[in-house]
Amino acid sequence: MEEVKTIDDQTHGTERPTLPGKHEHGKSDHTIKTYSDSSGSSRYLDEPNDRQKNPNRQNQRRQNIRRRNICLQVSLCCIILAAVISVALVLVYYFRDDSIPNPNSENSPQALFSHFPPEALSRLVRAYDMVSTVSDESALNDTKSPQYRALKWIVEEDSSFISEAKEVFIQRYVLALLFYATKGENWIEKMGFLSAEHECQWHDNNNYGVFACDSDSRVVGLRLSSNNLTGPIPPEIGQLTRLKRLFLWGNNIGGPIPTQIGELRHLTNLQLYENNLVGVIPPEIGRLISLLEVDLHSNSIRGEIPAELGNLHNLNKFDLDTNRLSGVVPTTLGSLKHLDVFDIHNNNISGDMDYMCFLGISWFFVDKSEVKCSCCSCCQRL
């Protein structure tokens, strides 16, 4: 029998030829070495060259990769945490409840009315919560403001009405506020204002004061003419949403006409003449499509007549004489087909107004030296 040749037992660690199927040019990633065990059998040892040459370098690379991964994970967690905190802060800011007074603030109702007995604080918080929806908190927190004084009167002297529905409560608050805003203590006639009676009873025998209420006990008529009202009309007047007739002429009312007057959607008569009103005519008045009469004469109102007043299609009297108005009359007023009295003389208004002649206005007064109007009745500027 032919003897089979084996690797010589005496040749330990000799390299064998490159195995088939390896890289081109006869090179291989691995080198196969042989060794003989105690039994005399030949075995092969297959190890990567780089591991054999520098095992410490591989360990260092693994540690560097591990550190880099940990740093990336920590950074990612920090970014996510920062984003979550930012979103939470934004949500807290936009959805915070500003209507709840902070009891620790020096401007909280508890601090402002610290002299109140403990049993009155619950009434105070309820009243504050309701009025803060219609009045600025800065005004409510100012001890010299009419808003503060009206709230104080309600809590100290009128607490029984705090249990009323919000709309009824706000009506009473606004009338008390009007009293304080126009120095009610100096009115010629108080007409029962701030009495314990329902506000619909705040009038005299001559129908001055709250002279009309509807079946729901909501104020629809308010007359305080020639009664020495001094001060501005508070913006909260817009909360008397059932009001139809407002007569405040012949007083010392100053400041601008509040834009909130445009909320009085049922208003038919607005008489504010012979006061000290300044500013401009609010365009918001153009929303009051039920208006029959607007009388603002003898004030110090400036600016132009708003084009929005052309929406008052039911208007039959529009009196603006003796103010400081300027510019031209907007052509939108040419659509006021029910207009019977139109007086803008003694202002600085100019332009051509012949386009309004077809309306058949019976009382049409302009400054003829400034305005071209072939159908106007008079007048020369004073």
Side-chain angles (χ1 to χ4, degrees):
M1 178 181 294
E2 186 176 354
E3 183 179 356
V4 178
K5 294 183 180 181
T6 63
I7 299 175
D8 189 351
D9 292 338
Q10 300 299 322
T11 59
H12 300 296
T14 59
E15 293 187 3
R16 290 180 58 84
T18 303
L19 294 177
K22 298 296 181 181
H23 297 301
E24 294 183 64
H25 309 297
K27 294 183 179 181
S28 172
D29 292 333
H30 296 76
T31 302
I32 302 176
K33 294 186 178 181
T34 62
Y35 69 95
S36 299
D37 57 16
S38 57
S39 63
S41 301
S42 296
R43 297 187 181 277
Y44 299 99
L45 179 63
D46 186 4
E47 290 184 346
N49 289 334
D50 55 349
R51 292 182 184 178
Q52 227 179 6
K53 292 178 181 178
N54 196 353
N56 292 332
R57 184 178 177 185
Q58 289 297 318
N59 292 333
Q60 185 176 5
R61 286 180 61 191
R62 291 193 193 95
Q63 292 176 359
N64 290 340
I65 292 172
R66 189 178 298 111
R67 290 192 193 100
R68 188 164 59 248
N69 289 339
I70 292 173
C71 290
L72 289 174
Q73 292 171 1
V74 171
S75 299
L76 183 60
C77 289
C78 290
I79 292 172
I80 294 174
L81 181 61
V84 170
I85 293 174
S86 299
V87 171
L89 290 175
V90 170
L91 292 175
V92 168
Y93 177 80
Y94 281 104
F95 293 98
R96 71 191 189 282
D97 191 352
D98 291 332
S99 66
I100 300 176
N102 179 7
N104 298 320
S105 170
E106 63 179 7
N107 287 331
S108 69
Q110 290 92 331
L112 291 170
F113 300 93
S114 57
H115 61 283
F116 273 41
E119 61 271 15
L121 289 179
S122 60
R123 299 199 307 267
L124 169 61
V125 171
R126 173 170 168 76
Y128 190 96
D129 182 58
M130 287 193 286
V131 300
S132 62
T133 63
V134 299
S135 293
D136 289 337
E137 289 192 15
S138 59
L140 291 171
N141 297 336
D142 181 359
T143 56
K144 297 180 180 179
S145 72
Q147 287 83 359
Y148 174 92
R149 296 178 68 190
L151 174 61
K152 186 172 184 288
W153 171 76
I154 285 176
V155 176
E156 284 187 331
E157 304 178 36
D158 200 48
S159 59
S160 61
F161 286 91
I162 294 178
S163 60
E164 297 280 359
K166 180 179 178 181
E167 293 78 10
V168 178
F169 173 84
I170 292 299
Q171 172 177 275
R172 193 168 180 86
Y173 165 74
V174 170
L175 291 172
L177 171 56
L178 180 63
F179 179 88
Y180 285 112
T182 57
K183 296 181 172 55
E185 61 273 14
N186 296 327
W187 287 4
I188 298 172
E189 296 291 340
K190 305 299 189 294
M191 292 161 289
F193 269 66
L194 304 191
S195 70
E197 300 289 338
H198 191 278
E199 56 271 23
C200 287
Q201 302 301 318
W202 290 358
H203 61 80
D204 61 13
N205 294 329
N206 297 317
N207 282 331
Y208 269 68
V210 179
F211 69 91
C213 285
D214 62 15
S215 58
D216 297 323
S217 296
R218 304 291 293 277
V219 176
V220 297
L222 181 61
R223 180 184 286 112
L224 296 170
S225 308
S226 298
N227 200 41
N228 197 35
L229 275 68
T230 304
I233 301 172
E236 290 86 348
I237 194 75
Q239 297 298 318
L240 301 178
T241 53
R242 301 278 186 93
L243 196 61
K244 294 183 178 181
R245 289 173 286 177
L246 179 60
F247 305 131
L248 300 179
W249 56 267
N251 287 292
N252 298 310
I253 296 174
I257 301 172
T259 58
Q260 289 82 356
I261 209 164
E263 300 300 320
L264 305 178
R265 301 299 178 89
H266 299 284
L267 200 64
T268 59
N269 299 83
L270 178 62
Q271 294 186 1
L272 303 178
Y273 61 87
E274 295 178 359
N275 278 291
N276 299 315
L277 294 169
V278 296
V280 300
I281 300 173
E284 288 80 3
I285 291 180
R287 302 174 185 169
L288 309 180
I289 58 175
S290 297
L291 272 175
L292 303 175
E293 176 186 22
V294 174
D295 196 339
L296 305 177
H297 81 262
S298 301
N299 280 286
S300 298
I301 301 172
R302 297 178 179 271
E304 299 185 357
I305 299 173
E308 288 83 355
L309 300 190
N311 296 325
L312 306 178
H313 299 297
N314 295 308
L315 199 64
N316 57 51
K317 181 180 179 180
F318 193 23
D319 194 346
L320 301 176
D321 79 83
T322 315
N323 276 283
R324 300 181 182 181
L325 296 167
S326 58
V328 299
V329 175
T331 57
T332 54
L333 299 191
S335 63
L336 304 182
K337 297 180 180 179
H338 297 284
L339 203 58
D340 188 55
V341 176
F342 185 71
D343 192 345
I344 59 170
H345 86 279
N346 203 27
N347 281 285
N348 295 312
I349 295 173
S350 59
D352 188 343
M353 294 188 60
D354 275 341
Y355 67 89
M356 294 185 67
C357 288
F358 76 95
L359 295 176
I361 300 172
S362 60
W363 188 278
F364 199 164
F365 284 4
V366 300
D367 297 318
K368 284 194 171 182
S369 59
E370 302 291 336
V371 176
K372 179 184 176 183
C373 180
S374 59
C375 61
C376 296
S377 303
C378 74
C379 295
Q380 297 299 321
R381 268 181 66 182
L382 299 179

